[in-house]
Amino acid sequence: MILKSGIVVVSVAWIYYRSWVAVILMIPVGIWYYIRLLDECIRRKEQEFLVQFKELMQTFSSLLNTGYSVENAVKESLKEMSVFYCGEAAILRELEIMVRQIRMQVPVEQTVEELAWRTRLADVENFAGVFMTAKRSGGDMISIIRNTADQIGDKIDVRREIDTMLAAKKYEFQVMSVIPFGIVLYMTVSFPEFMGNLYGNVIGTGVMTGCLIIYLGAYGLGQKIIQIEV
């Protein structure tokens, strides 16, 4: 992401200003772009973890239904989930932490609460709150876990449907984001004398800066339009 942000900064500075000084001045734009890439990466990882957490809830519910205690079900879930995921999977790392805590006599409610604190995902936090209440009051644990898995599954399905519907629009947005740079490059190659008047003078720099501001505003607006939270 750092490399990609650097390439964007250098490319924008060259296309709009043809100056290495502009590269330094464009660093804030690179930081802004890097933050957007980082946010997108975080969203993808959160969605991946929710899918893993849903499968964990289904496995956990099946183990409880066969007679395992809550503590032993957590330990056995680690073995079951290890079959489906490699050692780098986030859900396996979290389960390993929970199993170590349980072996150190940490209450299982506390391990679930700390899981919610580490992930900071609304679905996991909601499950932790209900789980702790049910564990302390003797509620129907199996039903609670099944309902949690169903709710997360419905949310994932809705998210996938939205992504499918927006896939074409997102591709169009990416193409449209590149077109302005392509136009400037085409004009530079085809009409070098005309484009030369936009570089190395105050008026040309002002015109190109105005165009860049409009482009960045349109890009930010487009990102907000195609991002639909579930």
Side-chain angles (χ1 to χ4, degrees), residues 7 19 64 86 96 104 111 121 132 143 145 152 163 214-215 227:
I7 292 174
S19 171
L64 290 176
C86 64
E96 288 170 356
M104 295 172 63
T111 65
L121 294 175
M132 288 187 292
S143 177
I145 294 173
I152 295 176
D163 288 340
I214 293 173
Y215 171 80
Q227 292 294 339

Side-chain angles (χ1 to χ4, degrees), residues 7-205:
I7 292 174
V8 168
V9 167
V10 173
S11 300
V12 171
W14 183 84
I15 291 174
Y16 280 86
Y17 300 105
R18 303 284 176 83
S19 171
W20 288 106
V21 176
V23 174
I24 299 175
L25 297 177
M26 292 287 293
I27 288 177
V29 175
I31 294 174
W32 173 76
Y33 185 66
Y34 172 79
I35 291 174
R36 298 202 69 87
L37 292 177
L38 186 62
D39 289 340
E40 181 63 27
C41 180
I42 291 172
R43 278 193 292 269
R44 287 199 305 268
K45 289 185 178 295
E46 287 177 348
Q47 292 302 314
E48 290 174 4
F49 185 82
L50 281 179
V51 173
Q52 297 170 3
F53 187 72
K54 171 195 171 185
E55 295 179 2
L56 171 62
M57 291 297 97
Q58 293 172 339
T59 302
F60 197 52
S61 174
S62 300
L63 292 171
L64 290 176
N65 202 34
T66 56
Y68 281 86
S69 66
V70 175
E71 289 79 5
N72 288 332
V74 173
K75 298 176 183 177
E76 193 64 25
S77 294
L78 176 59
K79 299 177 184 178
E80 296 286 340
M81 297 294 289
S82 298
V83 176
F84 302 103
Y85 295 102
C86 64
E88 297 299 321
I91 195 66
L92 294 183
R93 294 197 301 268
E94 295 297 337
L95 279 171
E96 288 170 356
I97 294 173
M98 294 176 68
V99 169
R100 284 199 300 267
Q101 290 176 322
I102 290 173
R103 287 173 178 168
M104 295 172 63
Q105 306 302 317
V106 176
V108 68
E109 315 87 271
Q110 182 178 336
T111 65
V112 174
E113 183 180 18
E114 292 181 6
L115 169 65
W117 181 84
R118 287 192 301 271
T119 60
R120 300 183 186 277
L121 294 175
D123 292 306
V124 182
E125 290 174 348
N126 293 336
F127 167 73
V130 176
F131 179 87
M132 288 187 292
T133 302
K135 187 71 169 61
R136 292 166 182 169
S137 61
D140 187 356
M141 193 70 64
I142 297 176
S143 177
I144 290 171
I145 294 173
R146 282 178 178 170
N147 289 336
T148 300
D150 291 340
Q151 290 174 6
I152 295 176
D154 291 342
K155 188 174 182 179
I156 292 171
D157 291 339
V158 171
R159 181 72 221 180
R160 285 175 177 170
E161 290 179 7
I162 293 175
D163 288 340
T164 301
M165 294 172 60
L166 292 178
K169 297 300 179 183
K170 288 182 178 179
Y171 179 75
E172 291 174 6
F173 173 73
Q174 292 173 354
V175 173
M176 293 298 293
S177 298
V178 177
I179 284 179
F181 296 97
I183 292 174
V184 175
L185 289 174
Y186 171 76
M187 295 291 290
T188 300
V189 174
S190 302
F191 309 99
E193 298 84 5
F194 173 78
M195 292 298 293
N197 295 326
L198 295 174
Y199 301 104
N201 59 81
V202 176
I203 296 177
T205 301

